[in-house]
Amino acid sequence: MNEEILPVKIKKSGPVNSRPVILTLICLFCYVFFSLLALFFLAGIIWTDWVITVTNQYAPSELFSATRIRFYFIAGFLLHLLALTGSILIWRLKKTGYFLLGLSCLAIASIQSLVPQITITTTAAYILLLVLLGIFYRRLH
């Protein structure tokens, strides 16, 4: 009955990389922004026929074709979903998240720059998000 009581050895983990507060706020904004826009584009995909009839009622029919509107909704949904995935990975401090978000933001901004009806401020919002998240690129691993 001579048993020794040994202390429990706890493994010490490495340094914990904490997320900066500003990066947390930007990621939360990205969650809301990209998820709402992805939901709006998904609703546009579901009710494309209604959107086409309303658009053709108020705009000349040769300006917007049904295929073009459907393509915009599908591309917008996929690109915003990709950006949402990138912001989730940035939340987890992964560099691949920045690349996914950057690819989708640049694609959205370039598509918006080709369409004359879209204002420059919406394009600038995507570029600004990309620049703000790029500030924290060195923190990502």
Side-chain angles (χ1 to χ4, degrees):
M1 295 251 248
N2 263 343
E3 294 180 21
E4 287 186 38
I5 299 176
L6 298 173
V8 177
K9 292 184 180 180
I10 299 174
K11 288 185 178 180
K12 292 184 179 180
S13 62
V16 178
N17 292 338
S18 64
R19 186 180 328 102
V21 176
I22 296 174
L23 181 62
T24 302
L25 293 175
I26 295 171
C27 284
L28 289 174
F29 175 77
C30 286
Y31 288 162
V32 173
F33 182 72
F34 290 123
S35 62
L36 281 178
L37 283 172
L39 286 175
F40 288 148
F41 279 109
L42 181 63
I45 292 171
I46 293 171
W47 291 296
T48 303
D49 296 329
W50 179 78
V51 172
I52 290 170
T53 58
V54 171
T55 304
N56 288 336
Q57 189 175 18
Y58 293 106
S61 60
E62 61 272 353
L63 188 62
F64 298 106
S65 67
T67 308
R68 178 182 272 182
I69 291 174
R70 197 169 275 127
F71 171 74
Y72 282 150
F73 281 135
I74 292 171
F77 174 71
L78 292 177
L79 287 172
H80 284 91
L81 196 64
L82 186 68
L84 180 65
T85 305
S87 63
I88 291 171
L89 289 174
I90 289 174
W91 178 271
R92 296 180 182 165
L93 298 175
K94 304 287 182 188
K95 280 187 181 181
T96 55
Y98 183 74
F99 293 126
L100 288 176
L101 189 121
L103 176 73
S104 62
C105 281
L106 289 177
I108 292 168
S110 64
I111 290 170
Q112 285 182 351
S113 66
L114 296 175
V115 179
Q117 292 86 10
I118 296 177
T119 61
I120 193 72
T121 56
T122 57
T123 306
Y126 289 100
I127 302 295
L128 182 66
L129 274 176
L130 190 59
V131 169
L132 286 176
L133 288 168
I135 294 171
F136 299 100
Y137 181 76
R138 290 185 182 176
R139 291 279 191 137
L140 306 177
H141 48 82

